[in-house]
Amino acid sequence: MAIVLQSTPLFWTRLAALAFSCVAFAVAVHGGRLFHGTGDWCIFCWAFSFAGTLLVLLVELFGLQTRSPVSWKNFPITFACYATLLCLSASIIFPLYYLKGNTGPSEIRDYRIVTTVFSCLATIAYMTEVSISKARPGEVAGYMATAPGLLKVCETFIACIIFVFVSDPVLYDRIDAVKYCFAVYCICFILSAGIIVLCVCECTGCLPFPFARFLSGYAMLAVLLYLSATIVWPLFHFDPKHGGQKDRPSTCSGTHGLCIWDKVMAVAVLTALNFVLYLADLIYSTRLVFVSS
């Protein structure tokens, strides 16, 4: 089997992302002394990004794109976008938990600083890969290489973060209106994830209706659902008339990590952010013309 080595900016960018993510998790495991559950998350982010990039590089080096069970127009950029978000989250979470206010041995701190630096470098490398791989105006490309496709990756990732915040402790079982918000998050996540899977697996032609029309209709539905959740969630969590708490409790200042009020606020901000993303998705979906493979 011949090895196909293409010295392109995309190849070197992937190679840099591979090296940076590898160094990040290797240094963290070797000398970071990770003691919190967030450390496991950061390790997963770097290791997952490393493993996926290695897979992409091997497939392209051995010219196995045509034998791949997934669409090679959609899979690499989809993975690169997820890797960008994963490394970005690790680059934010890791220093907050392991560098901020750290008074431990200087050697451990040095390991953590190196880990943070390489995590940031990996994030930049993956962002560069996405920038190189995304579709240009007038270019025939897979759906995931277009702006709506990349937006759906961001939408599902933010929804996953919302699920983490609302599940520990459970923040949506107190009022029916808040349960409605959780239902909105689930419905939109499932549909967006389903669209990504259909595109990556090249199954959009199996649908009994036009895929482009479905995308526009779903984008409109998601905008309306998230608009309602953006209003309802803070209304029933921060308005005292509805049993909410407007001000941050003083007990939160002594809590390691995020207290319940902080998580509720984070969900409110992320809900508004996802609403903006779905609105942009709707605008792009109504204007974009792409050729499905």
Side-chain angles (χ1 to χ4, degrees), residues 15-245:
L15 200 61
L18 182 77
F20 293 150
S21 57
C22 179
V23 172
F25 79 78
V27 172
V29 171
H30 177 68
R33 298 276 185 91
L34 308 185
F35 55 85
H36 196 270
T38 52
D40 297 333
W41 165 254
C42 294
I43 293 296
F44 167 77
C45 292
W46 300 318
F48 178 81
S49 301
F50 169 81
T53 304
L54 180 61
L55 175 64
V56 170
L57 285 172
L58 290 176
V59 169
E60 297 204 341
L61 281 174
F62 290 100
L64 300 175
Q65 296 93 324
T66 56
R67 301 183 183 181
S68 172
V70 297
S71 168
W72 212 250
K73 291 182 179 179
N74 290 304
F75 176 76
I77 191 170
T78 303
F79 173 80
C81 192
Y82 275 119
T84 301
L85 297 171
L86 287 170
C87 290
L88 177 62
S89 66
S91 299
I92 296 172
I93 293 172
F94 188 82
L96 284 177
Y97 278 86
Y98 295 100
L99 284 179
K100 183 181 179 182
N102 180 266
T103 57
S106 60
E107 182 181 358
I108 296 177
R109 183 176 179 84
D110 291 342
Y111 277 112
R112 293 175 177 177
I113 291 174
V114 172
T115 298
T116 303
V117 170
F118 276 92
S119 179
C120 293
L121 291 174
T123 303
I124 295 172
Y126 282 116
M127 289 178 64
T128 305
E129 180 182 348
V130 172
S131 178
I132 295 174
S133 303
K134 70 178 182 180
R136 302 295 185 268
E139 180 182 354
V140 177
Y143 177 75
M144 296 309 300
T146 63
L150 296 175
L151 284 171
K152 283 182 174 58
V153 173
C154 297
E155 292 156 6
T156 55
F157 185 80
I158 291 175
C160 288
I161 298 177
I162 291 176
F163 292 147
V164 172
F165 283 142
V166 301
S167 61
D168 185 25
V170 177
L171 302 176
Y172 56 84
D173 61 346
R174 186 169 57 90
I175 303 173
D176 289 340
V178 179
K179 293 180 181 178
Y180 163 78
C181 294
F182 182 72
V184 168
Y185 305 145
C186 292
I187 292 171
C188 292
F189 170 79
I190 292 171
L191 290 176
S192 293
I195 290 171
I196 293 173
V197 172
L198 287 173
C199 291
V200 171
C201 296
E202 292 189 316
C203 297
T204 56
C206 300
L207 297 176
F209 42 78
F211 185 59
R213 192 171 298 176
F214 167 72
L215 291 174
S216 299
Y218 165 61
M220 175 64 75
L221 174 64
V223 166
L224 295 176
L225 289 174
Y226 258 93
L227 175 60
S228 62
T230 302
I231 297 172
V232 171
W233 181 271
L235 182 66
F236 283 87
H237 275 103
F238 300 119
D239 189 350
K241 294 180 182 179
H242 295 89
Q245 188 170 1

